[in-house]
Amino acid sequence: MGRAAIEVGPALFFSLLIITLSFLPVFSLEAQEGKLFSPLAFTKTYAMATAAGLSITLMPVLMGYFIRGHILPEHKNPIRRFLVAIYMPVIEFVLRRPMLTIMASILLVCSMAYPWIHLGSEFMPELNEGDILYMPTTFTGVSVGKAGELLQITDRLIRSIPEVHTVFGKVGRAETATDPAPLTMIETTIQLKPESQWREGMTMDKLKRELNETVKIPGLTNAWVMPIKTRIDMISTGVKTPVGVKISGPDLSQIQKIGQDIENIVKEVPGTLSAFSERVAGGRYIDVDINRTNAARYGLNIMDIQEVISKAVGGMNVTETVEGLERYPVNVRYPRDMRDSVTRLRQLPVVTPMGAHIPLEEVATIKIVDGPGMIKSENARRIGWVFVDIMPEVDLGSYVASAQVVVEEKLQLPPGYSISWSGQYEYMLRAKERLTYVVPLTLTIVLLLLYFNFKNFTESFMVMGAVPLSMVGGLWLIYMLGYNLSVAVGVGFIALVGVAAEFGVVMLVYLDQAYTEKNPKSMRELYEAIIEGAVMRVRPMAMTAAVVIAGLLPIMLGSGTGSEVMRRIAAPMLGGMITAPLVSMVLIPVLYMLWRGRAIRLMEPRPDGAVRAQSSVRGGRQSPHGEPGFGQPGYRGKPSNPFA
């Protein structure tokens, strides 16, 4: 018992340590993706670190207490016998044809090119939060009355959809600096009925399409988004749609012109659901230009005239009313029919110090002028935004790549102006840039840990070289499920790499153990040692893969908020559990045979007593002792070998 624990303990310890360190790229993530996946990384790190410690401390003690009495021999276990009956022809076939096995492995790795080319990319899959946020944008300069009318119309149209439970819309901003929303932005929260009450065949994507077809009002650019995610995006980048284009420059009028050009160009890109450029210089204002000469003639100063305009049009709070726990200001100003047009404003009465009443137009020029609706700046430069919403079936990365090409070809930027692509695309680039240099660093650390375990780089590279092959199943499953490459998928592949490395490490431990016990002097003995070591790993490998698959299936079959992300984490591991065991059970024994067999071929004696340069067993020749070689019809192996 103690000898078995000493043989396997270090390998298990290093395997769990590799799984722990493989999550280093997850810890390097920042902002949204870091906050989302760091709890998963911390939980798995603590669990694996504890398991690594228990594997070399508590587990050997518990084995001594509980593994006692009559123990069924391994070769009599019915499950093992069934697995060996399947595995034995496979291992014999691949050992007879090592180069064919290696070529097949290389072809499998190359097969990943097809799904890789056809897979899209995104920052994170869209979570189904259960509700929808409708955030249309209208042109700058809309009046308060018209904005309220648009809000009522859109609410009635949305409420006509059977799946909608309640609709609550808001236009403008509250009395807070944290929500600088203009009248041009409407926010409508749509609470949906439970999916069990939806029409048959209705999905969230179909529902968004139907809402988009129902709510079609000239001057409104629709955007159907998720509430929580959109709030986070707006706080981070200011862009409420999946893709945004930021135009920076010194002049707002030129920024608006560039934005309108980009809007027209982007609308032609396949996959565009809607595109709208903010009219940053399209605001409408009433300009009151006081004539100082005329004001002085009537004995008025600038403050007197400004006070009349402020209180007559804007109003003045004179007191406050208390309604229970609520307080409301009482505002006094001129009636609406005296201030609802420029003509009426010109006729506002102004009282002179002499008591005379004169119209406001006597001392001021009143006219409507254009100006910026809201001045935004970023990095000390004025900026304008273009909001782009894409179709649900179009992935973010492919769309932005094609849109960038079209915009670059058709848009000519004047000197001093620049554009940048923002929104979720900005997050995706940030995560990709971080993983680009953290993943190779992590793989280097894993290689060093493998070297500390095996004390040679050959076996370390066997494990590392087999990792890409273990990812084949995961990538193909991602492709078949129609998922896009995202941070969640990347986390799943990171977890798969750790498990695949563990499979390889434990397989090499069994092969080294069989090699040490048999100390083969010929190729036939080496083959027998490899078969014995590989067969010993059949049942543990099957149990490990079965446990992982059993744990991942509920995630893949589950539903609810957050299941979209969890499925993309579990899918690479679930697909990898098909190819990762095959790597350790098929490819690693072949590589091990080629490595150990090279030294044996050089030292194997010829019939005349000379040292042989090559083994005569390959290619179906007889062994140097005149016996049938491995794989020949007369070969039966040693009678005492239970694995022959």
Side-chain angles (χ1 to χ4, degrees), residues 138-284:
T138 185
F139 291 105
T140 306
V142 63
S143 65
V144 177
K146 189 62 178 178
E149 181 184 347
L150 288 173
L151 184 64
Q152 294 176 353
I153 294 174
T154 55
D155 284 358
R156 284 198 298 268
L157 291 174
I158 294 171
R159 189 65 184 85
S160 65
I161 303 298
E163 284 74 18
V164 175
H165 179 57
T166 59
V167 180
F168 180 79
K170 176 187 81 72
V171 64
R173 65 184 177 189
E175 294 287 340
T176 172
T178 60
D179 185 24
L183 284 172
T184 58
M185 186 172 69
I186 299 174
E187 300 177 9
T188 302
T189 302
I190 306 170
Q191 185 178 6
L192 302 176
K193 296 178 182 178
E195 292 191 11
S196 58
Q197 302 179 20
W198 290 12
R199 287 168 289 176
E200 186 177 354
M202 180 61 68
T203 62
M204 183 63 76
D205 291 340
K206 292 181 180 179
L207 183 59
K208 287 182 180 180
R209 292 193 192 97
E210 185 172 343
L211 285 168
N212 196 58
E213 292 295 327
T214 302
V215 184
K216 281 190 173 181
I217 299 176
L220 279 186
T221 303
N222 295 338
W224 309 92
V225 292
M226 292 296 164
I228 299 175
K229 175 179 140 318
T230 304
R231 295 296 183 190
I232 295 174
D233 291 345
M234 292 185 69
I235 292 173
S236 302
T237 64
V239 179
K240 61 186 177 181
T241 50
V243 182
V245 185
K246 295 182 178 180
I247 307 107
S248 302
D251 184 57
L252 288 176
S253 300
Q254 187 63 38
I255 290 176
Q256 176 172 308
K257 182 179 180 303
I258 296 173
Q260 291 174 320
D261 292 340
I262 294 177
E263 174 187 329
N264 296 328
I265 294 172
V266 169
K267 284 181 178 179
E268 300 176 1
V269 178
T272 303
L273 188 62
S274 65
F276 179 80
S277 172
E278 283 190 320
R279 273 41 175 186
V280 293
R284 305 282 283 175

Side-chain angles (χ1 to χ4, degrees), residues 5-18 56 445-461 463 501-510 512 595-596:
I6 292 173
E7 289 177 348
V8 182
L12 292 177
F13 176 81
F14 275 97
S15 298
L16 295 174
L17 191 60
I18 288 171
I56 58 175
I445 297 175
V446 170
L447 179 62
L448 292 177
L449 288 176
L450 291 172
Y451 175 77
F452 293 149
N453 180 50
F454 294 115
K455 303 299 187 295
N456 65 79
F457 278 111
T458 303
E459 289 180 293
S460 302
F461 280 114
V463 177
E502 179 192 17
F503 285 166
V505 168
V506 178
M507 170 57 77
L508 285 174
V509 168
Y510 280 94
D512 283 337
W595 173 49
R596 294 290 190 182

Side-chain angles (χ1 to χ4, degrees), residues 266-339:
V266 169
K267 284 181 178 179
E268 300 176 1
V269 178
T272 303
L273 188 62
S274 65
F276 179 80
S277 172
E278 283 190 320
R279 273 41 175 186
V280 293
R284 305 282 283 175
Y285 295 92
I286 297 177
D287 184 43
V288 180
D289 186 11
I290 299 175
N291 189 321
R292 295 172 182 265
T293 303
N294 291 347
R297 184 180 301 116
Y298 288 106
L300 296 170
N301 57 38
I302 303 300
M303 184 178 295
D304 294 335
I305 300 173
Q306 288 179 341
E307 186 176 5
V308 170
I309 298 169
S310 173
K311 294 180 179 179
V313 179
M316 178 179 65
N317 292 338
V318 295
T319 185
E320 191 177 71
T321 177
V322 179
E323 305 288 343
L325 298 178
E326 301 174 354
R327 296 172 181 267
Y328 300 98
V330 177
N331 186 277
V332 177
R333 58 179 174 175
Y334 282 3
R336 180 179 293 274
D337 58 358
M338 295 183 66
R339 53 181 170 83

Side-chain angles (χ1 to χ4, degrees), residues 54-211:
L54 294 177
S55 66
I56 58 175
T57 55
L58 181 62
M59 289 305 298
V61 177
L62 296 179
M63 289 167 59
Y65 277 109
F66 292 102
I67 304 179
R68 294 184 174 184
H70 177 70
I71 301 175
L72 185 68
E74 183 72 10
H75 64 275
K76 291 186 179 180
N77 188 297
I79 298 177
R80 179 187 177 279
R81 292 171 66 89
F82 172 74
L83 295 174
V84 169
I86 298 175
Y87 178 58
M88 186 62 72
V90 176
I91 188 65
E92 290 181 349
F93 178 83
V94 297
L95 289 178
R96 285 198 303 268
R97 298 169 177 83
M99 302 315 301
L100 179 63
T101 303
I102 294 175
M103 290 300 298
S105 302
I106 295 175
L107 290 176
L108 276 177
V109 174
C110 294
S111 71
M112 290 193 297
Y114 181 82
W116 181 267
I117 293 173
H118 291 82
L119 282 176
S121 58
E122 60 188 359
F123 170 64
M124 288 290 295
E126 187 175 69
L127 293 178
N128 183 1
E129 299 175 14
D131 298 331
I132 301 177
L133 190 64
Y134 174 54
M135 297 188 70
T137 305
T138 185
F139 291 105
T140 306
V142 63
S143 65
V144 177
K146 189 62 178 178
E149 181 184 347
L150 288 173
L151 184 64
Q152 294 176 353
I153 294 174
T154 55
D155 284 358
R156 284 198 298 268
L157 291 174
I158 294 171
R159 189 65 184 85
S160 65
I161 303 298
E163 284 74 18
V164 175
H165 179 57
T166 59
V167 180
F168 180 79
K170 176 187 81 72
V171 64
R173 65 184 177 189
E175 294 287 340
T176 172
T178 60
D179 185 24
L183 284 172
T184 58
M185 186 172 69
I186 299 174
E187 300 177 9
T188 302
T189 302
I190 306 170
Q191 185 178 6
L192 302 176
K193 296 178 182 178
E195 292 191 11
S196 58
Q197 302 179 20
W198 290 12
R199 287 168 289 176
E200 186 177 354
M202 180 61 68
T203 62
M204 183 63 76
D205 291 340
K206 292 181 180 179
L207 183 59
K208 287 182 180 180
R209 292 193 192 97
E210 185 172 343
L211 285 168

Side-chain angles (χ1 to χ4, degrees), residues 3 7 509-520 529 592 596:
R3 177 168 169 251
E7 289 177 348
V509 168
Y510 280 94
L511 293 178
D512 283 337
Q513 178 184 348
Y515 181 85
T516 303
E517 290 179 355
K518 287 191 172 293
N519 191 21
Y592 192 87
R596 294 290 190 182

Side-chain angles (χ1 to χ4, degrees), residues 298-299 351-357:
Y298 288 106
V351 181
T352 66
M354 302 300 294
H357 288 69

